[in-house]
Amino acid sequence: MPAHREPVHDRDARFDVAVIGAGVVGAAIARELARYRLRCLLLDAAADLGTGTSKANTAILHTGFDAKPGSLEAQLVNRGHHLLSHFGPEAGIPIERLGALLVAWDAEQLSALPSIVDNAARNGYMRLRHVSADELYGLEPHLGRVALAALEIPDEGIICPFTTPLAFATQAVLNGVVLALSSPVQAVRSSADGTHVLQTPGTAFAARYVVNAAGLYADVIDHLFGHQTFTVVPRRGELIVFDKLARPLVRHILLQVPTTVSKGVLVSPTVFGNVILGPTAEEITDKTAGGSTAAGIAALHARGERILPALVEEEVSAVYVGLRAATEHSDYQIAFYPAQRYVCVGGIRSTGLSASMAIAEHVVQGLADAGLALEPTDDFRTVRMANIGEAGARPYQRAELIATNPDYGRIVCHCERVTRGEILDAVGAPIPARTIDGLRRRTRALFGRCQGFFCAAAVTTLLAEATGQSVGTLLALDDADQVPSPLGESVKVMESK
Ligand SMILES: Cc1cc2nc3c(=O)[nH]c(=O)nc-3n(C[C@H](O)[C@H](O)[C@H](O)COP(=O)(O)OP(=O)(O)OC[C@H]3O[C@@H](n4cnc5c(N)ncnc54)[C@H](O)[C@@H]3O)c2cc1C
C-alpha cells in the first residue's frame, strides 16, 4: 500500500463537494472525486462505512445482460462491470469470473430464453450461449430435475461486497477525502451564497456541492433539499449462507428467469468459499427491518430444494437480510440540479455494487457540467487491499509472510483462518476497523461456521486492546450497527411538516 497522505481534518472548513452516504455508491463517488484538486467530504451516519445495503447483497458482478434496454441502469451496469473488472484485480478486490447459467425449469421459462438473448443483445451483450439439458447436467451435475435448458452468461462473476466499498473509500481517503463517520445528516440549510450546510449532531459541514447517496434514505435527504420525485419502498431480500462443505456442489452462478420484480432466487458460490441461496423479494415499509423471517427461510428452502437438492441438506452457517432501495420507478433515480449544486443518487436498487464505478463517473461528469472545476491531481495514489477471498493466498498460507511477522501464523478465528496479524493490520489501516462488524467485513473473523461461538471472546479482546476501546463499548457499538436507521427522530419530525 502506498504511503498514507495525511487527510485534511479541518471539519469546519468549507468543502467543494460533500457526499452523503458511504455505501458502495457514495464511496465510489468520493474515490472518483479524489482524482481532482478538490476538498471533498464523505460522511455516513453509521460508525463504519458500508454498513447499509452494501453489506447485505448477493455480491454478483453483473454484466447487465438482463437490464431494461435504454435504461440508465443498463448503461451503468454495463460500464460498471467493465470498470470494476479492471479495478478489482489492481486493488486486490476478490473477484471470480465463474460465469452464470440461467436455467429454464418449465416450458414457459424455456420459451422466454430467446427474448432474454434478444434483450442482452439490445444491451450490447452478445456472449450469451444456449446450453442444452445434457450439457447443463454435465456442467452442473448436482442440479435438480428436470431442467430443460439454460443460457450461459460467461462474464457474470462473484465479488467481495465488503472489500469493494472499503477499497473505494480507502483510495479516496489516501487521496485527501475527509471521511466523517457517525455523522447522520439531520437537516440542511442553504446560505445566501448557495453553500449548503449539512447539520449532524456534532458538526455542521459546509459544502458548495452535495451528492446524496444515502441509499434507503435517499428520498428523505432529497426531501430535505426540497424535492419529492420518488419514495424508497424497501424490498427485503433474505438469504441463506451454506457451509464451505457445500462449495463442491456448484460451479457457476445459477440464475432464474427474471420477473419484473426481481432477478429471482439464485444459488451462487461466494468469494469466501460458501454457497448462498436467495434472495427473496418482498416489499415492506420498515427501513430498519433487518431480521430474517420464518416464511422467507421456508420459501428459500423450497426453491433451493428444486434448484440444487443436495444443497439444502448441507449445514447452514448464517442467514441474513438486505433491503433494496426500490422506488415506484423501475430505473435508477439519478437527478442533477445544477442551479442548486445538488445531485440525488437514489433508487440504486439491485445492481449498485456492479454499477458503482460507472455511477461515480456519471455523477462526477454531471457535477462538472454543473460548473464544478475538475483539475486532475498530479499523483492519484493507488490502493492495494488485504486479500480476504478464498481464491487468492491468505496470510496463514504464506510462509514467507509468516517468516517476516509470526503474527500472520497465529490464527485467532479458526473457521475462517484469520490471523492476529490481519486483525492488527485492519485496526492500523487508513480506515481502521473500530467495530466488531467492521472487523468481520475487513478480515472474515467471526464469519465462519461457528459464527464466533469459539473465537468471539478472543477476537473482541484483541480488537479492544488494539483500538484502546473497552469490550463493553465494542459490544454496544455492534448492537447499534444492527439497527441501520441513521436518522433518528429529528428527521421524522421534519418529514411530517
Ligand atoms: C438482497 C440484495 C441483493 C443484491 N444483490 C446485488 C448483486 O448481486 N449485485 C449488485 O451489483 N448489487 C446487488 N444489490 C444491490 C446493491 O447492494 C445496492 O445497489 C448497493 O449496495 C447500494 O449502495 P448504496 O451506497 O446506494 O446504499 P447503501 O449501502 O445503503 O449506503 C447508503 C449509506 O447512506 C448512509 N446514510 C443514510 N442516511 C444518511 C444520513 N441521513 N446521513 C448520513 N448517512 C446516511 C447509510 O448509513 C448507508 O451507509 C443487492 C441488494 C440486495 C438488498
Side-chain angles (χ1 to χ4, degrees), residues 20-26 43-46 50-62 183-186 213-217 221 235 237 239 279 322-324 348-355 486-487:
I20 304 172
V24 71
V25 171
L43 47 77
D44 201 285
T51 63
T53 303
S54 298
K55 80 165 182 182
N57 51 47
T58 20
I60 307 295
L61 180 51
H62 295 294
S183 300
V185 173
Q186 295 181 321
L216 290 166
Y217 295 88
I221 298 291
R235 190 169 294 157
L239 293 110
L323 301 181
R324 306 168 184 88
I348 313 297
R349 195 177 49 166
S350 50
T351 48
L353 171 59
S354 309
L487 299 169

Side-chain angles (χ1 to χ4, degrees), residues 229-471:
T229 57
F230 66 93
T231 305
V232 175
V233 180
R235 190 169 294 157
R236 175 161 57 194
E238 304 191 37
L239 293 110
I240 302 176
V241 184
F242 290 90
D243 187 66
K244 294 184 173 52
L245 293 173
R247 179 64 184 84
L249 292 175
V250 57
R251 299 169 185 166
H252 300 78
I253 303 158
L254 300 178
L255 301 174
Q256 305 294 300
V257 173
T259 66
T260 48
V261 199
S262 114
K263 291 175 182 297
V265 170
L266 59 78
V267 171
S268 174
T270 72
V271 293
F272 312 119
N274 301 85
V275 177
I276 49 171
L277 168 66
T280 53
E282 180 196 357
E283 286 201 355
I284 57 173
T285 51
D286 183 358
K287 291 179 178 179
T288 66
S292 298
T293 65
I297 299 301
L300 286 179
H301 205 272
R303 287 301 300 156
E305 208 160 24
R306 173 155 196 198
I307 302 168
L308 209 65
L311 181 65
V312 295
E313 304 300 324
E314 294 290 335
E315 297 281 340
V316 170
S317 294
V319 293
Y320 66 95
V321 167
L323 301 181
R324 306 168 184 88
T327 72
E328 61 273 54
H329 309 283
S330 61
D331 206 352
Y332 291 170
Q333 295 301 297
I334 302 182
F336 297 94
Y337 300 95
Q340 199 181 8
R341 298 203 295 251
Y342 164 68
V343 185
C344 178
V345 187
I348 313 297
R349 195 177 49 166
S350 50
T351 48
L353 171 59
S354 309
S356 51
M357 293 186 78
I359 295 173
E361 256 187 10
H362 181 70
V363 166
V364 173
Q365 182 55 53
L367 286 169
D369 294 344
L372 179 69
L374 298 182
E375 188 191 337
T377 60
D378 300 330
D379 59 343
F380 184 54
R381 298 180 182 205
T382 57
V383 71
R384 185 78 197 168
M385 306 303 291
N387 171 48
I388 59 169
E390 204 69 359
R394 304 269 313 285
Y396 79 93
Q397 297 167 313
R398 296 175 54 194
E400 83 294 351
L401 197 63
I402 297 168
T404 63
N405 180 352
D407 275 348
Y408 292 117
R410 298 197 173 106
I411 292 183
V412 184
C413 164
H414 286 264
C415 299
E416 296 295 307
R417 316 270 204 282
V418 182
T419 63
R420 181 181 161 86
E422 289 166 280
I423 292 177
L424 295 179
D425 284 351
V427 171
I431 303 178
R434 302 280 301 165
T435 61
I436 297 170
D437 193 44
L439 186 68
R440 271 190 204 107
R441 284 181 280 109
R442 285 164 177 81
T443 63
R444 284 167 57 167
L446 309 171
F447 258 139
R449 186 184 179 120
C450 88
Q451 291 287 296
F453 184 85
F454 291 108
C455 64
V459 168
T460 309
T461 305
L462 179 55
L463 181 63
E465 283 168 12
T467 58
Q469 300 174 96
S470 72
V471 168

